[in-house]
Structure formats: C-alpha cells, structure tokens
Amino acid sequence: MTNISKAELAVAALRNGTVIDHIPSEVLFKAVKILGIEHVRSAVTIGNNLESKKLGHKGIIKVADVYFPEATLNRIALIAPSAVVNIIRDYEVVEKYPVTLPDTILGLVKCGNPKCITNNEPMRTRFHVVDREDVTISCHYCSHTVKSADAQIIQI
Ligand SMILES: [Zn+2]
C-alpha cells in the first residue's frame, strides 16, 4: 500500500472534471452558488477549512465530468480572486489557471439600492469593476458601489 497523506485524501483524485482550489473558506458556499452546482448531476466534492499555506484555510470544489465555460469560472473572481482552476483529464491536470475578474458582471449581483431600476423592473443587473485591487463594483444604472465581499449574489 502506498503512503497517502491525510492532505492528499482530502483532495482525492478526480478522473475527469474541474477542480477549483484556493477559495477562501468564508466565500466557499458563495462560489458554489455562483457556479450553479446545485443543478449539477455528476459527483461533486466540496471541502472546506482545509489547511492552506497561502490562505490559512481554504475551500475546494471538485466537479466530476463537468468543464465550466471560462466566463462562468471567472465570475468566482468576484468573491475569490485567489481561486485557481484545474482542468483534469484522465487523472492529469491538463490546464491550470487563476480566475480573472471580468470588467463587467451581468446578472450575478443584486443592487443594494432599493430604488434602483434593477430592483423594480424585471431586468438583469449590470455592475462594472471600479477597483480591481479591492474588488469593488459599481451598479451601471444607479452607481451604487459595493465591495464584492459584501455583494449579495442573486439565486441562479
Ligand atoms: Zn443599482
């Protein structure tokens, strides 16, 4: 029997699929929501509060047999700019890249201004990233500004 460390067991091998690693523990379940994982039919493994040299504690999401569009994965950057995507094929990591924050975020965040048109008309919200360092976003329609960590994610 080979010597498998506990850390390795926590992130057991995936044959094919997507692993999203280095998600801060506090936002792991927001990331799950952003990816729409509730609707995925294949095996999903979610690990949280795993030890991380980079983050102290981290969360990880593993989804078998699903390759998300890059635009979907990049939405995670809104709440977890440190997240890293691993594409797995036949147990090998064939691609690995950090998520990239898009300039515009469509239909993902609810505007915090109750008077905003997006809260009163059946329409998609639209936010622009105004500060990439601090990850701050601003509503296209009413200019309401919010730090992404405090942003309310719309149920997908
Ligand atoms: Zn607004």
Side-chain angles (χ1 to χ4, degrees):
M1 215 173 131
T2 46
N3 228 344
I4 301 167
S5 76
K6 278 184 184 164
E8 279 171 302
L9 279 176
V11 288
L14 191 67
R15 180 168 192 164
N16 291 297
T18 306
V19 177
I20 302 130
D21 199 0
H22 301 294
I23 304 168
S25 290
E26 318 82 72
V27 297
L28 176 71
F29 289 96
K30 268 191 178 176
V32 167
K33 201 167 164 184
I34 288 174
L35 286 176
I37 282 172
E38 298 97 310
H39 312 294
V40 167
R41 287 267 172 236
S42 54
V44 175
T45 312
I46 295 167
N48 204 9
N49 301 318
L50 306 170
E51 272 178 47
S52 160
K53 284 188 193 106
K54 241 198 267 179
L55 301 168
H57 286 97
K58 67 169 183 179
I60 189 167
I61 301 170
K62 301 195 311 171
V63 186
D65 304 319
V66 174
Y67 300 102
F68 296 92
E70 208 168 316
T72 303
L73 293 165
N74 282 339
R75 288 173 155 230
I76 292 176
L78 182 68
I79 50 151
S82 59
V84 175
V85 175
N86 294 269
I87 306 297
I88 317 285
R89 289 187 201 276
D90 217 4
Y91 299 109
E92 299 278 345
V93 178
V94 293
E95 235 184 294
K96 185 172 183 145
Y97 57 87
V99 292
T100 321
L101 190 64
D103 294 324
T104 306
I105 295 137
L106 286 173
L108 181 66
V109 175
K110 186 176 157 52
C111 184
N113 171 11
K115 288 188 178 151
C116 179
I117 187 166
T118 61
N119 285 319
N120 296 286
E121 300 285 340
M123 61 193 289
R124 269 202 317 185
T125 63
R126 173 187 286 261
F127 280 84
H128 301 293
V129 175
V130 289
D131 186 338
R132 301 188 81 87
E133 281 296 298
D134 217 16
V135 198
T136 304
I137 55 175
S138 172
C139 177
H140 176 75
Y141 300 99
C142 74
S143 301
H144 179 82
T145 299
V146 65
K147 271 195 187 186
S148 68
D150 303 323
Q152 197 185 335
I153 306 295
I154 292 169
Q155 191 70 53
I156 302 161

